[in-house]
């Protein structure tokens, strides 16, 4: 395994800002979000992941306001490619500022034309109240812009000092190889959890061989893996979990059954469901960081217990057997 040479956050748990800003994730509690951000810094978290689309600018503004006066102490990972300022690009979904998916809202598109990337970068820097972004990632590929053009644009931003490292999200290893022809990649960000293992064998292993950081997102599958007792929470209308098949009653029961089967391992390492789920992700070969979706300090504290947990090879093999047996219970979904 090759150690990443790029500059990445020191703490292996990065705090994400999608759930924190509440957009599509149950509503925004500004003072709670600021308290969680402060607690993260107090506890040694240095990496914060955001994107323009989270709250249509709101998550970046929150980070910008929070980091005023000590921006240099934070490592900000931002993204580009999901836009709502133009009619160009591939339509992804409609949503309003509250996160409600409705036809009258903004049309969010996938678009990576170099001019659009430039526009996005300037808007992000303004909202972050910063003159640089530590890690700038392609959020989703638009399916049309040549990778050479995208990476050349990234290199230009880097030469101008506006971004420091280049990353990608939601890509195949073939696409990463195309990027690498033009520019070095510091990281790949993919969904990875006990029940979402697609990125484990391909992307994480590829990153390990190449010395590229691997940032795992949605480690709790939006909270499904946080509680052993199936919850009967009814989510609000704008919450993506309302219609997600992952949160059907039947699926919550399947997740609870899986967590029940994993209980002996949790007890051995003295971890809660959430901490165990994050620890398992951090033990996947090639994973360098996990992005926590904590909204509250208590959740963050649970998640941070995953740091430094080393699962033995024997335990990992046994857990692997359990996960493989239950794989068919959790077909791949897009939230
Ligand atoms: N690159 C991409 O395409 C992409 C996609 C998705 C996410 N991400 C990044 O990854 C970050 C994390 O993803 P995620 O929010 O989906 O993560 P997650 O950990 O799978 O889900 C977080 C949700 O789980 C619930 N939860 C219950 N116990 C928790 C605990 N101990 N810690 C944290 N959450 C707990 C919370 O819901 P309640 O509020 O209901 O308690 C919270 O909103 C995002 O903020 C974003 O930065 C990137």
């Amino acid at each position: 395994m090759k150690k990443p040479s790029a500059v990445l956050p020191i703490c292996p748990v990065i705090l994400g800002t999608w759930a924190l800003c509440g957009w599509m994730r149950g509503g925004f509690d500004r003072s709670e979000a600021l308290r969680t951000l402060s607690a993260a810094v107090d506890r040694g978290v240095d990496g914060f992941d955001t994107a323009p689309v989270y709250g249509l600018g709101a998550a970046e503004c929150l980070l910008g306001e929070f980091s005023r006066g000590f921006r240099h102490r934070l490592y900000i990972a931002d993204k580009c490619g999901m836009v709502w300022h133009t009619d160009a690009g591939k339509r992804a979904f409609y949503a309003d500022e509250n996160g409600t998916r409705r036809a009258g809202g903004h049309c969010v598109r996938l678009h990576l034309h170099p001019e659009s990337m430039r526009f996005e970068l300037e808007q992000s820097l303004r909202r972050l109240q910063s003159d640089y972004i530590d890690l700038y990632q392609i959020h989703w590929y638009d399916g049309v812009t040549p990778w050479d053009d995208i990476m050349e644009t990234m290199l230009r931003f880097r030469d101008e000092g506006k971004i420091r490292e280049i990353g990608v999200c939601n890509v195949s290893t073939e696409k990463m190889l195309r990027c690498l022809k033009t520019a070095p990649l510091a990281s790949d960000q993919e969904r990875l959890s006990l029940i979402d293992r697609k990125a484990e064998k391909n992307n994480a292993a590829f990153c390990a061989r190449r010395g590229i950081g691997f940032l795992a997102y949605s480690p709790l599958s939006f909270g499904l893996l946080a509680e052993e007792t199936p919850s009967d929470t009814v989510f609000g209308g704008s919450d993506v979990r309302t219609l997600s098949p992952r949160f059907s009653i039947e699926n919550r029961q399947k997740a609870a059954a899986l967590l029940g089967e994993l209980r002996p391992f949790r007890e051995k390492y003295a971890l809660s469901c959430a901490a165990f789920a994050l620890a398992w992700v951090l033990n996947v070969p090639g994973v360098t960081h996990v992005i926590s979706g904590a909204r509250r300090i208590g959740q963050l504290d649970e998640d941070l217990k995953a740091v430094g947990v080393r699962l033995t090879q024997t335990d990992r093999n046994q857990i692997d057997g359990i996960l493989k047996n239950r794989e068919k219970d959790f077909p791949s979904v897009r939230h």
Side-chain angles (χ1 to χ4, degrees), residues 75-148:
Y75 185 105
I76 295 183
D78 206 342
K79 312 190 187 80
C80 63
M82 295 190 80
V83 304
W84 61 99
H85 67 267
T86 169
D87 289 338
K90 184 174 157 191
R91 198 173 67 206
F93 56 85
Y94 287 94
D96 65 18
E97 277 79 1
N98 300 320
T100 307
R101 291 198 181 202
R102 57 180 185 87
H106 298 275
C107 181
V108 175
R109 295 170 180 276
L110 306 185
H111 191 45
L112 287 162
H113 186 280
E115 270 173 31
S116 176
M117 285 174 68
R118 166 75 62 186
F119 176 81
E120 273 202 90
L121 176 63
E122 297 302 340
Q123 296 297 311
S124 290
L125 290 172
R126 182 182 56 76
R127 289 190 288 250
L128 289 168
Q129 305 185 34
S130 178
D131 50 11
Y132 70 97
I133 288 167
D134 299 271
L135 172 66
Y136 204 42
Q137 308 155 100
I138 302 298
H139 202 159
W140 283 94
Y141 182 50
D142 65 2
V144 292
T145 310
W147 279 104
D148 294 357

Side-chain angles (χ1 to χ4, degrees), residues 265-276 279 302 305-306 309 311:
F265 300 97
R266 287 204 317 272
E267 287 176 352
K268 174 173 171 186
Y269 292 93
L271 296 171
S272 65
C273 291
F276 179 78
E302 273 315 310
K305 288 185 186 143
V309 175
L311 304 179

Side-chain angles (χ1 to χ4, degrees), residues 17-30 32-33 55 96-101 222 233-243 247 293 295-296 299:
T17 57
W18 182 9
L20 203 65
C21 82
W23 186 76
M24 295 189 168
R25 304 294 292 273
F28 184 38
D29 182 336
R30 182 186 180 72
E32 179 142 63
D96 65 18
E97 277 79 1
N98 300 320
T100 307
R101 291 198 181 202
F222 282 19
T233 307
V234 177
F235 298 106
S238 66
D239 197 310
V240 273
R241 292 172 288 192
T242 308
L243 296 177
F247 283 86
R295 303 179 68 180
R296 292 177 278 283
Q299 292 176 334

